[in-house]
Amino acid sequence: MIRPSESERHIGEDTQAWRLRLYVAGQTPKSLTAIANLRRICEKNLHGRYIIEIVDLVERPQLAAGDQIVALPTLVRKLPPPLKKIIGDLSNQEKVLVGLDLL
Amino acid sequence: MTANFLAKAPTGISGLDEMTMGGLPKGRPTLLCGGPGSGKTLLSMSFIVNGALRYGEPGVFMSFEERPEDLRANFTSLGFDVDDLTKRELLVVDHVRLERSEIEESGEYDLEGIFVRLGYAVDTIGAKRVAIDTIEALFAGLSNEAALRSELRRLFGWLKERGLTAIITGERGASHLTRYGLEEYVSDCVIVLDNRIVDQLSTRRLRILKYRGSAHGADEYPFLIDERGASVLPISSAGLDHSACPERMSTGVASLDSMLGGEGYFVGSSILVSGAAGTGKSSLAAHFAEAGCGRGEKVVYVALEESAPQIIRNMASIGVDLGRWATSGLLRFNAARPSYYGLETHLAKILREVQCFQPKLAVIDPISSFLSIGSGREVHAMLLRLADILKAHNVTTVFTELVATNLRRDEAEASVSSLMDTWISLRRLEIAGDARRALCIVKSRGMAHSRRVREFVLEDAGFTVVDEPLDPSITTLRQEPGA
């Protein structure tokens, strides 16, 4: 299910992209829930305008410090600025939308 | 299990390893708690860097509070170069920043990110030691306290599982040892730091609250941090078991040596030189110091009222050239006003100097000035420990004491004289309108000594005891009126 760091492009060529990175650690239930929730929320709210990158820190632990990852899962909005972070399995959709400034 | 339980990891912090009989529990976490400014960060840094440099145990320092540049400055203040240590793969510093305002919480999470970072840092350099300072900061950044608590429990278990010797710092709480009750999770060893301010002077103290499976000192000990790192002063390390040395050492004044059985003081003994202002106490001490340097021995001069240049200049006027020895490095001045720090800190600093410089002779000039920063009882207790420490290091020490002439002699001096092996009392007298000086060896344990009151002179050529006895008719010495 998780293909580490592989970008999932859901975007047209000339559109302003939303670049989202989700940090997880292994295929835990929390990780899988977070990934599913993220895909659902993006499809519904950012259709055709987003790129999701999933980083599995079990595979690439050296990436944790760079984005100041403490809790997992952590969703980082890389673009558009400013950088935003949402922690948790993203099961509270409203909080995710608030965190991403989509509400 | 039992053998492993008692294995210890030395901190390299002088005093602390003696108190703990070898260091912190190896492969287990230790809780270090204290208020702001009590020295938690610097002590844990010393533990990590000493481990890396002295004991072949690389370390990870994970900071939750200070900014990277502050951390760097802290390391530098202890004389450590973070970049160099990092390059040599002896140290990883990871700064964890968590800003509540930047984070939204949605659903369940854990602290696996911390585990990943710590694990990665540990694996990168093969770390054996970890310091986590101060993980409680997470409580301010994350709202799910229940999740945090279960993750902290897991973290401490993880540290143990990986056999890491760890220091976890915690902020002192009102009702608990730490604000968030970390002591519930770390149960092997708990050390409490305290920064107490009495009469506007601050003294840091350290106490081992708990050390499972090991004997340890239970008292509070003064704790010092300066440019040479951290050190703890265990009072009990200064005992009464110092050996009595039969060797002798010149007083620096030949005519005084002859009053002391012809050979001077005992090596490693404590000598009190007391007298009113201007009686020549410092001069006698300077002769002692100069003679030591002349023999090629190292001397520490703790100057509490005058600066080193002042002392050098004054002593040059009686033909004692201390400047030459200060330049050569055999004589080291430690000049500090008493009010610069508390008694404990003075004591710790002198001990530090004795340990680092390893002098054979010391001068403490004058001990009476300590009374400006402590009660008579406190000063007495401090001097007792100071004398014991110097003896334990076999340092022959002259303590000068200023005595106010309007006090009865026994009142002023009795407090410390009982700690001393030799006591020389200096006085001014007036003979036929002439101001003159006399000295008397009040006591000198373990040796035959003159009991006469003898006149002495302080001239260009220095301190000399006059050969002719004083006229018996004037030996009831009239002291000059109050200074």
Side-chain angles (χ1 to χ4, degrees):
Chain A
M1 269 308 268
I2 306 172
R3 278 162 302 167
S5 308
E6 205 170 295
S7 300
E8 301 175 10
R9 297 186 68 90
H10 304 270
I11 187 164
E13 279 308 311
D14 52 352
T15 326
Q16 170 67 48
W18 275 59
R19 195 172 267 277
L20 303 172
R21 183 182 282 177
L22 181 66
Y23 286 91
V24 295
Q27 304 209 20
T28 63
K30 261 199 287 268
S31 305
L32 299 176
T33 308
I35 293 167
N37 282 333
L38 178 61
R39 285 186 179 138
R40 191 168 34 83
I41 292 168
C42 286
E43 225 10 70
K44 198 167 147 199
N45 299 279
L46 290 165
H47 186 75
R49 295 189 281 147
Y50 67 97
I51 300 168
I52 294 176
E53 186 189 4
I54 294 165
V55 177
D56 185 353
L57 291 176
V58 172
E59 310 279 337
R60 303 172 71 188
Q62 69 277 17
L63 296 181
D67 268 330
Q68 280 293 353
I69 302 306
V70 173
L72 287 178
T74 295
L75 174 64
V76 181
R77 185 183 85 178
K78 298 291 237 183
L79 282 174
L83 194 119
K84 297 252 175 190
K85 282 183 193 168
I86 301 159
I87 61 173
D89 62 12
L90 312 179
S91 53
N92 183 333
Q93 184 174 320
E94 194 180 322
K95 290 252 179 135
V96 177
L97 295 177
V98 168
L100 291 174
D101 279 341
L102 279 170
L103 208 61
Chain B
M1 176 73 194
T2 314
N4 185 43
F5 195 61
L6 287 171
K8 302 202 174 166
T11 62
I13 294 165
S14 104
L16 184 56
D17 289 336
E18 285 87 337
M19 279 170 78
T20 53
M21 329 244 162
L24 303 181
K26 196 178 180 73
R28 307 185 81 85
T30 290
L31 178 64
L32 178 65
C33 47
S38 60
K40 300 185 292 290
T41 301
L42 290 172
L43 193 140
S44 20
M45 274 181 181
S46 302
F47 166 74
I48 292 294
V49 177
N50 288 342
L53 290 177
R54 294 204 226 157
Y55 307 111
E57 298 197 339
V60 174
F61 192 92
M62 184 174 255
S63 168
F64 287 82
E65 292 204 315
E66 309 208 29
R67 295 173 306 151
E69 51 270 35
D70 294 338
L71 271 183
R72 180 176 306 270
N74 275 337
F75 274 108
T76 308
S77 75
L78 295 172
F80 304 133
D81 181 344
V82 185
D83 295 329
D84 178 58
L85 289 167
T86 307
K87 208 159 58 197
R88 289 159 62 194
E89 302 203 328
L90 292 170
L91 172 72
V92 171
V93 178
D94 190 2
H95 174 251
V96 181
R97 195 176 58 84
L98 191 69
E99 200 63 59
R100 190 167 198 155
S101 59
E102 295 172 3
I103 290 176
E104 194 68 48
E105 298 183 19
S106 167
E108 284 181 36
Y109 56 85
D110 54 41
L111 293 187
E112 190 62 27
I114 297 289
F115 288 77
V116 166
R117 287 166 76 162
L118 208 46
Y120 178 66
V122 167
D123 292 341
T124 306
I125 58 168
K128 300 278 184 288
R129 299 182 178 203
V130 168
I132 301 180
D133 179 47
T134 292
I135 200 160
E136 286 174 308
L138 288 179
F139 285 94
L142 301 169
S143 64
N144 189 344
E145 190 170 325
L148 270 178
R149 291 194 170 278
S150 83
E151 286 295 272
L152 284 184
R153 189 181 296 281
R154 185 163 75 95
L155 178 64
F156 299 136
W158 181 89
L159 289 168
K160 271 190 210 178
E161 220 170 83
R162 302 209 44 170
L164 294 161
T165 310
I167 286 186
I168 318 291
T169 68
E171 193 87 1
R172 198 75 208 256
S175 57
H176 291 78
L177 264 183
T178 58
R179 202 180 292 170
Y180 293 93
L182 290 181
E183 58 273 24
E184 191 187 321
Y185 312 110
V186 185
S187 47
D188 293 301
C189 181
V190 178
I191 296 175
V192 179
L193 300 180
D194 179 44
N195 194 10
R196 226 172 293 158
I197 297 180
V198 179
D199 290 340
Q200 287 149 34
L201 294 168
S202 85
T203 301
R204 289 190 166 111
R205 289 167 203 267
L206 179 151
R207 181 160 58 106
I208 297 174
L209 194 69
K210 171 173 174 183
Y211 196 142
R212 187 182 280 173
S214 171
H216 61 86
D219 295 336
E220 272 194 324
Y221 301 96
F223 164 53
L224 181 73
I225 298 171
D226 62 15
E227 66 286 356
R228 280 179 270 177
S231 72
V232 184
L233 185 71
I235 299 153
S236 53
S237 74
L240 282 174
D241 51 354
H242 24 259
S243 57
C245 184
E247 281 170 59
R248 303 284 279 265
M249 177 181 282
S250 171
T251 64
V253 176
S255 44
L256 181 59
D257 286 346
S258 61
M259 288 178 74
L260 290 159
E263 294 180 276
Y265 309 131
F266 276 119
V267 167
S269 67
S270 306
I271 300 107
L272 176 68
V273 175
S274 69
T279 46
K281 300 179 297 294
S282 297
S283 305
L284 190 51
H287 272 287
F288 169 70
E290 188 197 31
C293 292
R295 293 188 299 269
E297 293 164 357
K298 289 192 273 189
V299 183
V300 163
Y301 197 116
V302 179
L304 295 160
E305 287 187 350
E306 290 179 295
S307 69
Q310 249 178 317
I311 292 171
I312 289 171
R313 184 200 62 203
N314 295 347
M315 293 308 140
S317 73
I318 56 161
V320 178
D321 184 1
L322 294 180
R324 170 158 85 100
W325 300 115
T327 311
S328 81
L330 272 180
L331 172 63
R332 212 141 94 176
F333 281 97
N334 273 23
R337 287 258 174 224
S339 54
Y340 282 1
Y341 8 80
L343 284 176
E344 298 291 357
T345 307
H346 275 287
L347 182 58
K349 283 198 170 268
I350 296 171
L351 172 63
R352 175 77 66 92
E353 183 69 4
V354 166
Q355 285 171 337
C356 294
F357 186 53
Q358 304 195 312
K360 291 210 61 164
L361 291 74
V363 173
I364 317 288
D365 181 32
I367 53 172
S368 32
S369 64
F370 285 129
L371 284 168
S372 64
I373 54 166
S375 71
R377 195 176 59 82
E378 287 164 344
V379 172
H380 183 270
M382 181 266 200
L383 289 172
L384 172 66
R385 281 155 56 202
L386 178 57
D388 275 346
I389 285 163
L390 289 162
K391 265 196 186 152
H393 288 82
N394 210 31
V395 181
T396 315
T397 308
V398 167
F399 300 82
T400 72
E401 185 184 34
L402 175 69
V403 183
T405 39
N406 54 358
L407 280 181
R408 285 214 336 268
R409 206 189 66 197
D410 50 344
E411 255 178 73
E413 293 162 306
S415 60
V416 288
S417 64
S418 63
L419 311 175
M420 300 291 161
D421 301 296
T422 298
W423 176 11
I424 298 171
S425 170
L426 309 182
R427 317 165 195 179
R428 275 185 289 185
L429 41 142
E430 206 178 289
I431 299 169
D434 264 353
R436 296 170 56 184
R437 294 181 169 99
L439 70 77
C440 164
I441 299 169
V442 183
K443 72 168 180 184
S444 196
R445 287 175 188 152
M447 67 173 80
H449 63 87
S450 163
R451 294 181 184 280
R452 301 197 65 113
V453 175
R454 302 280 295 273
E455 186 179 3
F456 69 92
V457 290
L458 264 181
E459 305 162 324
D460 301 349
F463 193 112
T464 321
V465 181
V466 177
D467 263 347
E468 307 87 57
L470 278 168
D471 181 344
S473 64
I474 52 155
T475 45
T476 37
L477 300 171
R478 273 179 300 125
Q479 300 224 341
E480 286 183 5

